[in-house]
């Protein structure tokens, strides 16, 4: 019922020339996997050139952040309309932005609303730290992030949402979560909270991804889980062969 979804978060990697080469390398493999929604999220500086490259492709582009204001004196920021020129998706509330750049549930909420107002689909990231995980606070933290980050979102927009559950201790560490454990958080906490916000029918339509050290070897074990609809992939999305393999595993 929910179309599988895999997004590659290239983070702060690749100049536009390098991004062009990487995209060219992975495009034939990605194009072939029609049953999966495929998104690549390069840095802002590569969006223009990649949007030209992907003009006739089913592979979509996403940005890694935006500012909620329309325009104005916000040096260094990028508005929703600027993102919309090139992208269909935008990653919001990634743990690196929360940890290093001051993103909060409140600012994520403003960004989600601004993204929808401009016809962008947000990929909203939630997840607990290692300390929170070890002290049994996963459900509490993820509930707070979902409830506050997605507060007052219009119900018609809600079902377009993509949510990524990314335990912070699994991001970039090579220590992926246990697939059954991730499935339990996604079904029992993330989707449960989405149902409380938007009703069960809508919650059943929302794609929820797992993210955190997904690679070509372990991807299938996550995507086989009934509540996991795909992946948000960091490191492995910078290697064409690995990323294509991950996307193939989501079919
Ligand atoms: C991410 O940055 O969203 C991520 C999941 O990174 P990695 O796949 O490298 O753990």
């Amino acid at each position: 019922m929910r179309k599988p979804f895999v997004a590659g978060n290239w983070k702060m990697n690749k100049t536009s020339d390098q991004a062009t080469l990487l995209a060219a390398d992975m495009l034939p493999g990605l194009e072939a996997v029609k049953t999966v929604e495929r998104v690549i999220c390069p840095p802002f500086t590569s969006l223009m050139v990649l949007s030209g490259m992907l003009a006739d492709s089913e592979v979509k582009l996403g940005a890694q952040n935006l500012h909620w204001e329309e325009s104005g004196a916000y040096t260094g920021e990028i508005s929703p309309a600027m993102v919309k020129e090139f992208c269909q998706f935008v990653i919001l509330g990634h743990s690196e932005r929360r940890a290093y750049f001051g993103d909060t549930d409140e600012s994520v909420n403003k960004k989600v609303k601004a993204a929808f107002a401009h016809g962008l689909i947000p990929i909203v990231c939630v997840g607990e730290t290692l300390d929170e995980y070890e002290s049994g606070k996963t459900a509490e933290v993820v509930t707070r992030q979902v409830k506050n980050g997605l507060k007052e979102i219009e119900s018609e927009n809600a079902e377009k949402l993509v949510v990524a559950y990314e335990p912070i201790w699994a991001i970039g560490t090579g220590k992926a979560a246990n697939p059954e454990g991730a499935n339990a958080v996604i079904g029992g906490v993330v989707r449960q909270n989405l149902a409380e916000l938007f009703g069960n029918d809508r919650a059943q339509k929302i794609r929820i991804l797992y993210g955190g050290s997904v690679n070509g070897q372990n991807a299938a074990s996550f995507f086989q889980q009934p509540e996991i609809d795909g992946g948000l992939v960091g490191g492995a999305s910078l290697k064409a062969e690995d990323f294509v393999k991950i996307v193939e595993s989501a079919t």
Side-chain angles (χ1 to χ4, degrees):
M1 183 177 86
R2 299 184 292 263
K3 187 173 181 181
F5 188 107
V6 177
N9 173 13
W10 292 7
K11 311 195 186 194
M12 195 176 73
N13 293 293
K14 307 292 175 192
T15 62
S16 54
D17 281 350
Q18 293 165 340
T20 307
L21 290 175
L22 178 59
D25 231 9
M26 58 175 66
L27 215 50
L30 295 181
E31 287 287 6
V33 193
K34 307 271 183 216
T35 54
V36 177
E37 198 155 1
R38 298 136 285 166
V39 179
I40 52 179
C41 306
F44 289 127
T45 50
S46 298
L47 289 175
M48 187 191 260
V49 66
L50 291 199
S51 78
M53 242 178 122
L54 299 178
D56 298 321
S57 170
E58 286 174 13
V59 177
K60 302 284 192 303
L61 269 183
Q64 299 172 18
N65 184 33
L66 52 67
H67 193 281
W68 59 86
E69 293 288 352
E70 297 285 313
S71 63
Y74 301 101
T75 302
E77 293 294 328
I78 307 280
S79 78
M82 294 169 188
V83 171
K84 181 64 182 164
E85 281 188 285
F86 306 115
C87 297
Q88 293 84 9
F89 294 89
V90 58
I91 298 172
L92 296 174
H94 190 279
S95 62
E96 288 151 16
R97 295 218 54 89
R98 293 179 192 254
Y100 310 139
F101 303 105
D103 274 15
T104 61
D105 293 337
E106 289 65 38
S107 65
V108 170
N109 186 246
K110 288 185 189 173
K111 292 178 184 194
V112 171
K113 288 173 179 163
F116 275 131
H118 287 266
L120 287 159
I121 298 182
I123 303 169
V124 180
C125 303
V126 297
E128 79 286 3
T129 63
L130 184 59
D131 265 7
E132 290 161 345
Y133 173 67
E134 287 178 343
S135 54
K137 292 194 177 130
T138 299
E140 183 191 322
V141 170
V142 171
T143 294
R144 193 194 62 226
Q145 291 171 331
V146 172
K147 284 274 170 74
N148 294 338
L150 301 177
K151 195 164 63 181
E152 296 157 0
I153 301 303
E154 286 171 25
S155 299
E156 313 81 73
N157 283 333
E159 59 193 53
K160 298 180 208 147
L161 260 176
V162 179
V163 179
Y165 168 58
E166 303 204 299
I168 295 169
W169 45 270
I171 296 181
T173 58
K175 292 183 190 146
N178 164 289
E180 288 78 22
N183 185 65
V185 176
I186 288 175
V189 183
V190 181
R191 202 176 301 285
Q192 177 60 35
N193 276 293
L194 293 172
E196 286 170 26
L197 283 170
F198 307 117
N200 194 49
D201 286 357
R202 287 210 157 91
Q204 291 302 327
K205 293 184 184 154
I206 299 174
R207 267 87 57 90
I208 310 179
L209 318 178
Y210 166 76
S213 297
V214 173
N215 57 40
Q217 279 69 53
N218 65 17
S221 66
F222 287 100
F223 302 159
Q224 278 156 11
Q225 300 294 324
E227 292 289 347
I228 301 181
D229 303 315
L232 179 56
V233 184
S237 72
L238 294 167
K239 296 176 208 136
E241 207 179 312
D242 270 19
F243 190 58
V244 170
K245 196 165 171 207
I246 292 167
V247 170
E248 287 168 349
S249 309
T251 52

